[in-house]
Amino acid sequence: MKKSEITRLTILQKAFELIYTNGYQTTSIDDIIATTQLTKGAFYYHFKTKDEMGLAIINEILKPSLTKSFIESLKNEQNPLDAIYNLMDNLLMKNAFLKVEYGCPASNFTQEMTPWNENFTKALNEITKQCTKVMITTIEKGKENGFIGKEVNAKQVTIFVMSSYWGIRNFGKLDNNNKAYLPYLRQLKIYLNSLK
Amino acid sequence: MKKSEITRLTILQKAFELIYTNGYQTTSIDDIIATTQLTKGAFYYHFKTKDEMGLAIINEILKPSLTKSFIESLKNEQNPLDAIYNLMDNLLMKNAFLKVEYGCPASNFTQEMTPWNENFTKALNEITKQCTKVMITTIEKGKENGFIGKEVNAKQVTIFVMSSYWGIRNFGKLDNNNKAYLPYLRQLKIYLNSLK
DNA sequence: TTGTAAAAGTACCAAACAGTATCTTTTATG
DNA sequence: CATAAAAGATACTGTTTGGTACTTTTACAA
């Protein structure tokens, strides 16, 4: 890997961490170059504007990480209901990338940027669509394999589950701990079992 | 109502609208005084700082509006499952105060402010706790009245439902329309019926 | 090894920002 | 209707911000 590519990636990763913990608007370029030990010259060599960097974070850091989580969790497991539960359990309780007190990075980005940046919205929408698609396919397959009742609407369930995930991260953020995660996961299991 | 009180309320309401549509950080005090047709002198006569105003918005605009919605919807209805469904249907589809494309104001505030303002977090947490409490009580009463199965865990269900609500607003925001709301509501109904 | 384009450093700018100091006008009340 | 305090207007400040212009250093292919 070329040195300049490493620099670029360092900026993206460090900037992601700062934005994930402090928000996009409250993270200044000066903050980013301070933590990366770089200068404005380096930053603006790699990115035309701050927003171009933000978009790169979504597409090059967030997107691969999230879609990988979804695809790996959902495609390999036999029982789709277990798969969905384990995916959520993993995202909430085990993923080292995601921290309770900072919520879901995709959701954070959405909330903060959507009102004023259309490109961000589009990029985030794509991630969501990809994740949604994988989950719908998983459920449809589960219906064929007899794991899930034939009357179940895959898209509805997906939207419902994804929503509940985004929302529960709000609780975690507000409470600044994962106390709400356990009752959430128990209820999610009950709900998923009702789809058999 | 005294004139100065009207001015204060006007600032809060107009500022709320701006922040709801554009975000807190992207709404400047200059923006607020421009839309209110007031001046800095007036603004800083009523509020010591921008954050003091933000806190006042949460406590004096958001809190009463949301808790009123929850209490009125949940306390008056006979069947608690219908009550919860109608509350969500109302918040998503009928409430003129809330717009699809801008998400849930409480959730927006939470996402944007939590990382850097503890007072905001506390105030938002209080609103959430109040709403949660009302819903838990409603469910408990429903268990006593036979509307809901005795084995149902009221707190779990409340957290699950509230999460799903917050999350679905994210979908609406991302898509910039309420297409996702209908499948969500259908699935919510199916889920609530499973609690009988 | 060396020439050169790529990469990074330095110093600056104009605009936007929250907030203040001071002055003027309303408004409520004796 | 006089007057003082409340409410609001005006003009400013120091700082932070994203971004730029220009210079220097580094990496790497020939």
Side-chain angles (χ1 to χ4, degrees):
Chain A
M1 197 180 211
K2 270 169 66 181
K3 209 201 162 191
S4 78
E5 284 175 22
I6 294 173
T7 306
R8 189 190 142 92
L9 206 66
T10 307
I11 293 174
L12 286 179
Q13 283 170 338
K14 292 276 179 193
F16 168 79
E17 278 171 43
L18 284 171
I19 291 168
Y20 181 35
T21 53
N22 303 318
Y24 182 82
Q25 311 262 14
T26 27
T27 302
S28 70
I29 290 165
D30 286 328
D31 290 338
I32 295 167
I33 62 175
T35 58
T36 49
Q37 307 258 55
L38 288 164
T39 57
K40 285 244 162 129
F43 182 92
Y44 279 99
Y45 174 77
H46 289 284
F47 306 101
K48 258 211 189 84
T49 62
K50 187 188 179 186
D51 283 3
E52 186 180 299
M53 179 213 60
L55 218 56
I57 289 177
I58 294 176
N59 288 322
E60 295 171 41
I61 307 281
L62 213 55
K63 196 173 180 178
S65 155
L66 273 178
T67 51
K68 195 186 154 212
S69 281
F70 268 71
I71 290 170
E72 281 188 4
S73 287
L74 296 181
K75 290 234 162 139
N76 297 334
E77 189 104 17
Q78 262 275 322
N79 185 333
L81 296 176
D82 288 347
I84 291 173
Y85 179 84
N86 289 336
L87 169 61
M88 293 301 153
D89 186 42
N90 193 65
L91 286 172
L92 290 172
M93 308 294 284
K94 282 151 196 152
N95 194 317
F97 186 69
L98 308 168
K99 305 251 169 64
V100 178
E101 59 269 40
Y102 307 131
C104 165
S107 178
N108 292 0
F109 264 101
T110 303
Q111 296 283 3
E112 199 181 340
M113 327 271 212
T114 296
W116 51 269
N117 192 313
E118 214 180 305
N119 292 326
F120 281 42
T121 309
K122 272 186 199 160
L124 291 161
N125 210 353
E126 253 181 59
I127 298 182
T128 307
K129 280 212 176 110
Q130 218 164 312
C131 292
T132 308
K133 213 173 176 180
V134 177
M135 199 181 281
I136 290 176
T137 309
T138 306
I139 294 172
E140 292 291 5
K141 222 167 65 188
K143 283 165 70 175
E144 285 169 23
N145 297 347
F147 286 108
I148 296 176
K150 296 273 185 207
E151 76 289 353
V152 167
N153 183 317
K155 200 184 169 188
Q156 272 180 32
V157 171
T158 300
I159 289 174
F160 198 64
V161 170
M162 294 271 290
S163 292
S164 73
Y165 167 71
W166 268 341
I168 193 61
R169 295 223 74 120
N170 237 19
F171 267 99
K173 215 174 168 179
L174 263 182
D175 251 3
N176 201 12
N177 68 57
N178 61 4
K179 258 196 298 185
Y181 287 178
L182 291 166
Y184 164 78
L185 284 170
R186 287 210 199 92
Q187 199 58 33
L188 176 67
K189 195 162 231 168
I190 291 172
Y191 165 68
L192 290 171
N193 278 332
S194 79
L195 303 175
K196 271 179 188 167
Chain B
M1 199 180 209
K2 270 167 68 182
K3 207 197 163 193
S4 78
E5 284 174 22
I6 294 173
T7 306
R8 190 190 141 92
L9 207 64
T10 307
I11 294 174
L12 286 179
Q13 283 170 339
K14 292 276 180 192
F16 167 79
E17 278 171 43
L18 284 172
I19 291 168
Y20 181 34
T21 53
N22 303 319
Y24 183 80
Q25 312 261 17
T26 26
T27 302
S28 70
I29 290 166
D30 285 328
D31 291 336
I32 295 167
I33 63 175
T35 57
T36 51
Q37 307 258 52
L38 288 165
T39 56
K40 285 244 163 130
F43 182 92
Y44 280 99
Y45 175 79
H46 288 284
F47 306 100
K48 258 209 189 86
T49 62
K50 188 189 179 186
D51 284 3
E52 187 180 300
M53 179 213 61
L55 219 57
I57 289 178
I58 294 176
N59 288 322
E60 295 171 42
I61 307 282
L62 213 54
K63 195 173 181 177
S65 155
L66 273 178
T67 51
K68 196 187 154 212
S69 281
F70 267 71
I71 290 170
E72 281 189 4
S73 286
L74 295 182
K75 290 235 163 138
N76 297 334
E77 188 105 15
Q78 263 274 321
N79 185 333
L81 296 175
D82 288 347
I84 291 172
Y85 178 83
N86 288 335
L87 169 60
M88 294 301 153
D89 186 42
N90 194 65
L91 287 172
L92 289 172
M93 308 295 283
K94 283 150 194 152
N95 195 317
F97 187 69
L98 307 168
K99 306 253 168 64
V100 178
E101 58 269 40
Y102 307 132
C104 166
S107 178
N108 292 0
F109 263 101
T110 303
Q111 297 283 6
E112 199 180 340
M113 326 273 212
T114 295
W116 52 270
N117 192 314
E118 214 179 304
N119 292 325
F120 280 42
T121 310
K122 272 184 198 162
L124 291 160
N125 210 352
E126 253 180 60
I127 298 181
T128 308
K129 280 214 175 107
Q130 218 165 314
C131 292
T132 309
K133 211 172 176 181
V134 177
M135 199 180 283
I136 290 175
T137 309
T138 305
I139 294 172
E140 292 291 6
K141 222 168 64 189
K143 283 164 71 175
E144 285 168 26
N145 297 348
F147 286 108
I148 296 177
K150 296 276 184 204
E151 77 288 352
V152 167
N153 183 317
K155 200 183 168 187
Q156 273 180 32
V157 171
T158 300
I159 288 175
F160 197 64
V161 170
M162 293 270 292
S163 291
S164 72
Y165 167 71
W166 268 340
I168 192 62
R169 294 223 72 120
N170 237 20
F171 267 99
K173 215 173 168 180
L174 263 181
D175 252 3
N176 201 11
N177 68 55
N178 62 5
K179 258 197 297 187
Y181 288 179
L182 292 166
Y184 164 78
L185 284 170
R186 287 209 200 93
Q187 199 58 33
L188 175 68
K189 194 162 231 169
I190 291 171
Y191 165 68
L192 289 171
N193 278 332
S194 80
L195 303 175
K196 269 179 189 167

